[in-house]
Amino acid sequence: MSAGEVGVDELVTIPDFERSWRERTDRAIWEYVAGGAGTHRTIDDNAAAYDRIWLLPRGVRTSTGEPDTSVTLLGRTVSSPVVLAPTSPQRLVHPDAELATARAARARDVLSIVSTDTHHAFPEIAAEAPGLSWFQLYGYRSREDVAATVELAERGGATALVVTVDASYSARRISTRRAGFRLPDDVDYGTLRALGVLDGAAPASGRLDRLPVTWDDLAWIRSLTTLPVLVKGVLRPEDALRCVELGAEGVIVSNHGGRQLDGALPSLVALDRIARVLPRGRTLLVDGGVRSGVDVVKALALGAHAVCVGRPYLWGLGLNGQKGVEQVLDVFDVEVRDALRQLGVSSVSELGGQFVARAPGFLPDESLR
């Protein structure tokens, strides 16, 4: 173990990574990563929703072999239902930034969604994880710039396009402001510079103005590319249906990790609603509040095909770089496998509604059913 690294024996659960990195990092950077909008109610509710789903194991099982955790997403089979969500810019937490994350994704054979707002340029990142990098699209300045961004993603090796629709406007991140966060001088936006969207100093807030996404914009973006398209930031069943009607291969149920609108519906509750109506064969992912392999299994049983995690792997990245991201993925893997064994199933593909019970009030109003 090199100097500064945290030993694996200290990092047994995902909260161990959170606690350990918090103890070692600058307060303002901690608040930027951990914080959200307003009072953090949505952050808390995202995690609490998982405690309102109970698992129903079966004592007599169909197989005693090693559980199969592999999933196939948009035609690519990977080893785990855990996907690395887009976060940016990762240089805030480690010098190797997105390159370390991509290398970890390749080492553990998992998919990684790469933000438009990366420190390193997207083609450089995708080269570290061939075939495993989806590109998360934010729109800046004009449609011409959006088209150029999509083209860069295609040329750079993206295997899917993830259009984020829930972060067009700056959020009231009070804890971040109170901590006095300013973007460090050594943090940049490589993809935006490669596109010519950013040609001066990066804003101290770390946030650039984005173009709001309309339904017409979404249809137009779909027409630009032959890549599979997912829409990220969907909480309403009717919106999910319209996304697929416009040609999206699926949606990522998300409230942006509680970073945009305080009081938004918890992602897991929204997943439960959307899974009931999304057409069979469409891809359905969820993020927000996932802190264990048991949480992953609960989301899969409610209808998700995979689960995206963001803050947890940033904690690992901040502690141990690429190795830290791999350690986080290993903890999720161990916990998912254990949950599958305890449930009495041999594969994540067997998971379904028969393995979960909802606590009273999980769907807080009859109108949400």
Side-chain angles (χ1 to χ4, degrees):
M1 184 171 67
S2 64
E5 285 190 354
V6 181
V8 69
D9 290 342
E10 301 176 48
L11 304 171
V12 180
T13 69
I14 300 303
D16 289 342
F17 287 87
E18 178 182 18
R19 182 171 51 253
S20 186
W21 185 61
R22 183 173 190 172
E23 292 170 352
R24 290 165 171 80
T25 197
D26 174 80
R27 175 176 172 253
I29 291 177
W30 164 263
E31 292 292 353
Y32 180 83
V33 172
T39 64
H40 294 183
R41 176 181 172 185
T42 299
I43 292 177
D44 295 340
D45 286 349
N46 273 345
Y50 282 89
D51 293 332
R52 301 194 64 77
I53 292 293
W54 299 317
L55 292 172
L56 293 170
R58 60 188 180 200
V60 180
R61 56 207 61 229
T62 58
S63 172
T64 58
E66 180 68 14
D68 179 10
T69 61
S70 65
V71 295
T72 300
L73 299 170
L74 302 179
R76 174 68 187 246
T77 300
V78 288
S79 66
S80 172
V82 175
V83 175
L84 301 178
T87 61
S88 65
Q90 293 176 24
R91 184 64 182 267
L92 280 172
V93 303
H94 194 274
D96 293 340
E98 299 88 9
L99 301 181
T101 298
R103 291 164 186 155
R106 183 176 185 177
R108 292 298 183 265
D109 187 35
V110 301
L111 289 164
S112 176
I113 308 175
V114 181
S115 173
T116 302
D117 296 347
T118 51
H119 176 80
H120 295 282
F122 175 73
E124 186 181 359
I125 299 164
E128 297 290 343
L132 294 170
S133 298
W134 294 354
F135 183 84
Q136 179 241 10
L137 177 68
Y138 284 133
Y140 290 104
R141 292 201 312 193
S142 67
R143 277 196 169 192
E144 289 75 13
D145 287 303
V146 172
T149 306
V150 173
E151 183 182 358
L152 180 142
E154 291 177 327
R155 288 188 286 104
T159 55
L161 193 68
V162 177
V163 183
T164 294
V165 298
D166 65 346
S168 299
Y169 301 98
S170 296
R172 285 180 49 79
R173 296 180 185 167
I174 296 170
S175 61
T176 302
R177 183 189 307 173
R178 285 175 173 164
F181 174 80
R182 292 180 62 85
L183 196 71
D185 292 339
D186 62 347
V187 174
D188 203 359
Y189 291 95
T191 297
L192 295 179
R193 289 202 186 278
L195 290 162
V197 171
L198 181 67
D199 54 11
S205 67
R207 171 65 193 250
L208 295 82
D209 291 333
R210 297 171 183 149
L211 298 173
V213 180
T214 68
W215 289 113
D216 287 344
D217 292 331
L218 191 57
W220 172 73
I221 291 168
R222 170 68 277 185
S223 73
L224 291 178
T225 182
T226 59
L227 291 174
V229 171
L230 298 177
V231 182
K232 180 178 181 292
V234 177
L235 294 176
R236 303 167 66 97
E238 61 268 30
D239 288 350
L241 290 174
R242 189 163 183 186
C243 287
V244 299
E245 287 170 1
L246 291 176
E249 274 69 23
V251 298
I252 301 179
V253 179
S254 174
N255 54 36
H256 216 80
R259 293 173 71 80
Q260 288 300 118
L261 174 63
D262 204 21
L265 190 71
S267 294
L268 193 69
V269 178
L271 169 71
D272 195 21
R273 300 175 66 207
I274 290 172
R276 299 165 188 257
V277 302
L278 199 69
R280 189 176 182 85
R282 298 294 182 170
T283 299
L284 181 59
L285 281 71
V286 66
D287 69 20
V290 178
R291 297 295 182 266
S292 71
V294 169
D295 290 346
V296 173
V297 168
K298 289 178 179 179
L300 298 178
L302 284 177
H305 300 118
V307 174
C308 302
V309 300
R311 293 181 180 95
Y313 81 81
L314 288 182
W315 302 330
L317 178 66
L319 286 171
N320 292 339
Q322 174 187 342
K323 180 179 178 182
V325 180
E326 292 175 14
Q327 289 172 318
V328 166
L329 290 169
D330 289 345
V331 170
F332 275 118
D333 183 68
V334 167
E335 293 181 344
V336 168
R337 290 177 185 276
D338 178 67
L340 294 178
R341 292 188 194 97
Q342 303 298 340
L343 280 174
V345 301
S346 59
S347 169
V348 295
S349 64
E350 293 181 41
L351 293 171
Q354 70 272 32
F355 290 102
V356 291
R358 298 158 183 81
F362 178 72
L363 289 177
D365 187 281
E366 247 344 273
S367 66
L368 295 181
R369 292 189 183 276

